Every structure is written in structure tokens, then in C-alpha cells.
Amino acid sequence: MSPIGVFDSGYGGLSVFRNLRERLPDYDFIYLGDNARAPYGKKSFEDVYEYTREAVKFLFSQNCPLVILACNTASAKALRTIQQKDLPDWEDPTKRVLGVIRPTAEIAGTLTRSGHLAIVGTAGTIASQSYEIEIAKAFPTLTVRSQACPEWVDLVENGTAETLSAEKIVEEDLRKLFENDQKIDALILACTHYPLLMTAIKKHVPAGVKIFSQGAHVAERLEDYLQRHREMDRRLSRSGNAIFYTTGDCKIFDRQALKFLGYKIHSRHCVF
Ligand code: DGL
């Protein structure tokens, strides 16, 4: 197998993986969730970089020529260094690592009519200002309001996303975001865990605000990437298989993954 590697700090990337597999059903995939060390959102730049680097190395060692960082925090804090500093020195510099921020930022302006756009993400993603920087390149006149939601990933990782206390946390963070700008008409979920909180999010987002989650768009962009990079496309195997690894507990991972994927999986334990 020569699969596409998909990495996230935990379960969130499964929301992207699901779309990738729907869009590219013939390709092989390996998913890796670093559940033992999630969440990444509050961790230092150095830690996120080091963990992401280990994950990419693992996926490369499993024969993935292409790795998608299906994690905004890792994309914000580690992608550029891995692409520019590490990749050229690793054993095969023709392997590739792609993230989720740039493809999302590149269509940000098409999501809003008022020109006022909101972003929710982890503390790390928001503090990095990666979205503001990338969006400004493509849509310099947009007003971007961002809000860190430091507890949301924990709610998904520990399986309490459907509880009343989770809804209260979501409500409070969204209130802070929308109270100062009534013109916002689009909200980007800039964390791949957040679609699992969609019920609460929908309930507390003002009427008329479009909610954008990344999965389908990232999948569309990957398909486009493979069409433009035929040499990479030719290297990828196609037998429709998917293997799942977690650094955490496999039984818990399988149970939680069911919520993201809607079907049962049997994950393997991964130690770096
Ligand atoms: N799914 C990750 C993201 O998109 C969550 C990061 C975390 O573990 O805090 O940012």
C-alpha cells in the first residue's frame, strides 16, 4: 500500500477523513490520531511542532507519500517548518505534507456577503493569526473576527459533546463572538473537532449566519491537487482500504470514531 496519510491530534481529523474517503473512494488511507497527547490547542509551539513531526515521520514510515494535516493547530504551528526545514532533509524529499488552513482561507471571501466573517478555533490556531494572515492575502478588505474556544476540543475528546454543560460552553463562546459585530454572516469552524458540536453551534449562532466546516472543501481541494500533481497521484495505491492508528486506547478510539464515521472500525495502537 502507498496510502494517503491523515493526521490529527485526536478524533477531529476523522471529520475530514470521512469526506476524503467519500470523494476519493478508491484510494488507500492511514489515519493517525494522537489521542494520548490531545488536545494540542493549548500546547506550546515547540510541543505541537515536535508531536506533528513525529506523526508525519510515522506516516512516512508506513509508506505514505502524501500526508494531510487534518488539524488546524498543527497546520498553524508545524506545517511551514516541516515543509521548509524538515522535508528537504528527510530520506525522500519528494514526499509532501499539506494542511487545512490555506485551502480554507482561499475561499473565505466567497462565504460572506456582508464582508464580516467569524472564525472559531483552538487557542493555538487563533493566537497564531494564521487565518487572518492567509485570508488577508486573498481578500484584503474582509473583516475577520476570531474567537478562541479552548474547551471545545476536550468536549469532543472526552465524549461529552452532547451534554448540557457542553452546550453552555458553546453558547458562551459564541455570544462573545457575535455580540460586538452584528454584520457577521458566516462562521468558519477552524478546528476539525467542531463539527461534532454542530447541534449546539447551530442553536447558538444568530439566524442567517452560514456555518462552514472544512471536510468537504478539503476533500475537493485534495482531488484538485492530485489532478494537478499527476506524479504524486501515480504513486498512491488504490484498493479502497483504510487503516486507523491511535496513540491512545484503541477501544475508546473505536467507540468515538463511530460517531464521526457512522461505521465501526478497529484501530491499532501506535507508539512513536
Ligand atoms: N482538530 C484540531 C484542530 O483542527 C484540534 C487541535 C487540538 O487538539 O486542540 O485544530
Side-chain angles (χ1 to χ4, degrees):
M1 279 222 312
S2 194
I4 299 171
V6 182
F7 170 67
D8 181 51
S9 61
Y11 301 110
L14 290 171
S15 65
V16 175
F17 165 80
R18 185 182 169 155
N19 288 101
L20 292 176
R21 206 170 186 203
E22 275 167 20
R23 186 113 203 165
L24 302 165
D26 298 337
Y27 289 73
D28 297 318
F29 291 93
I30 294 189
Y31 184 89
L32 169 61
D34 190 9
N35 300 79
R37 299 188 291 202
Y40 280 11
K42 294 174 224 167
K43 292 195 161 67
S44 69
F45 177 94
E46 288 75 20
D47 283 349
V48 173
Y49 164 60
E50 202 43 55
Y51 298 167
T52 306
R53 192 171 175 272
E54 279 178 348
V56 170
K57 277 205 149 184
F58 172 79
L59 289 166
F60 280 175
S61 75
Q62 300 301 302
N63 213 29
C64 298
L66 175 66
V67 171
I68 311 297
L69 300 185
C71 175
N72 290 268
T73 313
S75 299
K77 293 189 169 187
L79 178 63
R80 185 183 297 239
T81 317
I82 290 175
Q83 283 175 332
Q84 294 179 355
K85 185 173 148 281
D86 297 319
L87 256 182
D89 288 341
W90 281 347
E91 88 284 2
D92 179 356
T94 64
K95 292 191 173 183
R96 288 288 171 264
V97 184
L98 305 174
V100 288
I101 294 181
R102 188 172 297 170
T104 306
E106 279 172 359
I107 53 132
T110 66
L111 303 174
T112 167
R113 289 168 145 225
S114 67
H116 288 237
L117 177 78
I119 295 177
V120 282
T122 66
T125 299
I126 300 303
S128 75
Q129 297 203 313
S130 302
Y131 272 95
E132 281 88 341
I133 294 165
E134 289 299 327
I135 290 173
K137 287 181 196 162
F139 306 99
T141 59
L142 275 196
T143 300
V144 181
R145 311 275 182 206
S146 56
Q147 174 71 40
C149 305
E151 287 153 283
W152 293 18
V153 170
D154 287 311
L155 301 173
V156 175
E157 285 292 310
N158 63 28
T160 58
E162 304 283 316
T163 61
L164 206 59
S165 55
E167 192 187 320
K168 286 265 161 255
I169 292 169
V170 170
E171 179 180 9
E172 178 57 17
D173 285 332
L174 291 177
R175 188 188 58 72
K176 286 185 238 159
L177 181 60
F178 286 99
E179 70 184 358
N180 295 322
D181 188 345
Q182 262 83 60
K183 289 196 190 150
I184 297 169
D185 64 353
L187 170 68
I188 294 181
L189 304 184
C191 173
T192 53
H193 281 68
Y194 294 178
L196 259 268
L197 290 156
M198 195 57 104
T199 314
I201 295 170
K202 275 191 176 156
K203 222 164 145 182
H204 297 287
V205 156
V209 173
K210 194 191 288 174
I211 303 169
F212 178 82
S213 48
Q214 299 171 299
H217 177 66
V218 169
E220 192 186 316
R221 292 301 303 274
L222 178 60
E223 188 178 39
D224 176 61
Y225 175 89
L226 294 175
Q227 277 162 10
R228 286 182 293 108
H229 296 83
R230 305 310 293 188
E231 72 298 342
M232 175 57 76
D233 193 44
R234 276 194 292 272
R235 289 167 76 177
L236 298 167
S237 59
R238 292 164 176 76
S239 46
N241 286 319
I243 298 173
F244 299 86
Y245 282 95
T246 174
T247 57
D249 182 291
C250 292
K251 277 208 184 109
I252 301 176
F253 186 88
D254 295 352
R255 207 169 50 229
Q256 291 283 84
L258 186 61
K259 296 184 197 166
F260 280 88
L261 301 175
Y263 54 85
K264 277 191 181 172
I265 57 149
H266 295 285
S267 59
R268 304 174 186 182
H269 188 64
C270 158
V271 205
F272 297 128

